[in-house]
Amino acid sequence: MKFASTDTYIAPQDLAVAVNAAITLERPLLVKGEPGTGKTELARQVAHSMGLPMIEWNIKSTTRAQQGLYEYDAVSRLRDSQLGDPRVEDVSHYIKKGKLWQAFEADEKVVLLIDEIDKADIEFPNDLLQELDKMEFHVYETGETVRAKHRPVIIITSNNEKELPDAFLRRCFFHYIRFPDMDVMRQIVEVHFPKLKDRLLTTALTQFFEIRDTQGLKKKPSTSEVLDWLKLLLAEDLSPEDLARDGANALPKLHGALLKNEQDVALFERLAFLDRKGHR
């Protein structure tokens, strides 16, 4: 099974090579890149392309590695024992299977997404080393060992909010998703908006990349945000001429889809002011 671009996802050649290399090596694929470059969507498209079910584990700052294996509800068992519930004799009634357990016991190969691993505590990746390496873990409450029936395709995403441990990195195949250039971005847009007129697309993307290249911008607009912006342009039936910016109005039309904080809005307003001042 080989991964390639799908009807709804454009995968650059280097990304497709990375996915297939990780599958061949049977190692987790660690994908980094700025937010909005399609890291999470990549896992969904790999599952779709290869016809595999997908299990998604969304990581938060409070997530613990143990939760990916299982959680033992000792409080409920104690309460039930006080109430004389016969279920307390079987401890398995109080064990909640985590995402890794679900992936390991699946009857067919699955894609397991561990999304935004860098949100968790720094020890989180280290706490999963043995489980991801050996594809098994021990359940102390029942004495059983859970082994993967089929080694899952594991895709791990990171927004680079914190450094990951070297020991964890050694066990992964790494790929950084570079921001698409103009040609690749056109392909991505054409997948989502096949009827978009070429002049409007060229004008919009030229303006989008000019905005991204503006010095002092705190948050550069991403791929997902330019798609939202184009959807609004189509909904408002704007023409290429409507997108024109001048010194009096440096902000792009419907800029709320592209600029996501007041500092960046103020930056473009300041640029407009300086431009007007320079033309006096």
Side-chain angles (χ1 to χ4, degrees), residues 28-31 39-40 43-44 54-60 63-65 68-69 99-100 103-104 111-120 124-125 128-129 131-132 135 152-159 164 168 172:
L29 173 64
L30 174 61
V31 183
K39 300 184 297 295
T40 301
R44 299 184 181 123
M54 179 174 156
I55 295 175
E56 190 168 341
W57 186 13
N58 297 299
I59 307 302
K60 301 178 181 178
T63 303
R64 295 176 293 107
L69 308 180
K99 299 296 186 180
L100 263 71
F104 285 4
V111 173
L112 172 63
L113 169 64
I114 304 177
D115 200 24
E116 298 189 329
I117 193 172
D118 53 322
K119 281 187 175 180
F124 179 91
L128 289 176
L129 287 180
E131 290 77 10
L132 294 180
M135 287 286 123
V153 176
I154 300 174
I155 297 178
I156 302 170
T157 71
S158 169
N159 288 326
L164 299 174
F168 180 79
C172 298

Side-chain angles (χ1 to χ4, degrees), residues 57-238:
W57 186 13
N58 297 299
I59 307 302
K60 301 178 181 178
S61 60
T62 55
T63 303
R64 295 176 293 107
Q66 180 64 33
Q67 293 172 310
L69 308 180
Y70 68 93
E71 292 183 275
Y72 170 53
D73 191 351
V75 174
S76 293
R77 192 182 186 200
L78 175 61
R79 183 196 62 223
D80 289 347
S81 67
Q82 293 171 339
L83 297 174
D85 193 322
R87 293 194 311 161
V88 298
E89 299 301 326
D90 186 356
V91 68
S92 64
H93 288 140
Y94 303 93
I95 290 179
K96 179 183 177 182
K97 298 176 180 179
K99 299 296 186 180
L100 263 71
W101 191 330
Q102 295 172 30
F104 285 4
E105 73 173 3
D107 291 328
E108 58 181 316
K109 197 178 192 72
V110 303
V111 173
L112 172 63
L113 169 64
I114 304 177
D115 200 24
E116 298 189 329
I117 193 172
D118 53 322
K119 281 187 175 180
D121 183 86
I122 188 62
E123 290 303 319
F124 179 91
N126 281 335
D127 291 341
L128 289 176
L129 287 180
Q130 295 301 317
E131 290 77 10
L132 294 180
D133 207 19
K134 295 184 176 180
M135 287 286 123
E136 66 178 40
F137 62 88
H138 187 70
V139 183
Y140 295 98
E141 289 77 8
T142 63
E144 66 179 306
T145 297
V146 178
R147 294 185 177 87
K149 295 180 181 178
H150 306 277
R151 180 179 284 267
V153 176
I154 300 174
I155 297 178
I156 302 170
T157 71
S158 169
N159 288 326
N160 243 355
E161 291 184 7
K162 63 170 67 82
E163 289 295 321
L164 299 174
D166 288 345
F168 180 79
L169 295 175
R170 283 198 301 271
R171 288 165 168 82
C172 298
F173 190 93
F174 172 76
H175 183 76
Y176 184 86
I177 297 182
R178 293 172 296 182
F179 196 83
D181 59 22
M182 178 72 84
D183 291 338
V184 174
M185 186 64 80
R186 290 183 72 94
Q187 295 177 50
I188 293 172
V189 171
E190 286 167 1
V191 163
H192 292 271
F193 305 106
K195 296 182 180 179
L196 189 63
K197 292 181 179 179
D198 188 68
R199 278 188 66 239
L200 178 59
L201 175 58
T202 299
T203 303
L205 289 185
T206 299
Q207 189 171 126
F208 169 73
F209 279 100
E210 288 174 352
I211 293 169
R212 272 188 61 88
D213 292 339
T214 301
Q215 293 295 319
L217 204 62
K218 184 176 181 181
K219 182 195 175 302
K220 295 182 178 183
S222 67
T223 305
S224 61
E225 287 160 340
V226 74
L227 293 176
D228 286 344
W229 186 51
L230 289 168
K231 185 176 181 179
L232 289 174
L233 298 184
L234 288 173
E236 295 294 326
D237 195 25
L238 297 181

